[in-house]
Amino acid sequence: YSGKPGPPALRSGKWLRGFPRLHVANQRKVKTANIFIDFVVALLEAQAKTGGYAVVEHPEDLGVRKLGDPGSIWRWPSVRALVDEESWRSGALLQSEWGRTFAKPTRFLYYLPGSRTS
């Protein structure tokens, strides 16, 4: 949803796991990405159950944009369930604050039992 020359949108706020009528090549891209995200969520849950540390990073959900409503993993129910759990922490930053030449808003979700995260 950033406009040209960026790639076409394959999901939205309404269709978080991909638009229903994508071309076959884009269906494969979305399916593969969804499998990866589901796998990462399963790993995060497993780490928390065993008391291990877990961290995931993904572009921040910036909400509705001029060209539409991008679908973000931060809105997925499985990811929201982790974000909403008391033992998990989440925070966002602009990578430009850490030396990048562009903003690149990024969110982290982390589980660090026994550590100081405040």
Side-chain angles (χ1 to χ4, degrees):
Y1 291 96
S2 60
K4 302 289 182 200
L10 302 180
R11 53 182 92 228
S12 72
K14 180 179 178 180
W15 300 101
L16 292 172
R17 295 185 68 91
F19 293 126
R21 291 187 233 4
L22 293 171
H23 292 290
V24 174
N26 286 334
Q27 284 176 359
R28 279 192 219 112
K29 285 180 186 178
V30 168
K31 183 178 180 180
T32 299
N34 290 347
I35 289 169
F36 286 144
I37 295 165
D38 289 337
F39 181 68
V40 166
V41 169
L43 287 174
L44 294 171
E45 292 169 342
Q47 277 295 95
K49 284 180 185 171
T50 64
Y53 293 172
V55 178
V56 68
E57 168 273 335
H58 203 268
E60 172 67 308
D61 178 5
L62 298 175
V64 177
R65 312 301 297 158
K66 181 177 170 183
L67 298 176
D69 184 16
S72 169
I73 70 161
W74 299 114
R75 296 189 206 174
W76 286 32
S78 59
V79 175
R80 288 295 332 151
L82 294 175
V83 170
D84 292 340
E85 280 196 31
E86 188 176 311
S87 56
W88 287 82
R89 299 287 182 261
S90 179
L93 58 81
L94 296 174
Q95 290 190 19
S96 58
E97 294 173 355
W98 296 84
R100 296 294 294 234
T101 57
F102 49 92
K104 195 174 182 192
T106 302
R107 177 160 293 279
F108 292 86
L109 174 65
Y110 50 97
Y111 181 81
L112 305 171
S115 67
R116 291 185 63 200
T117 57
S118 310

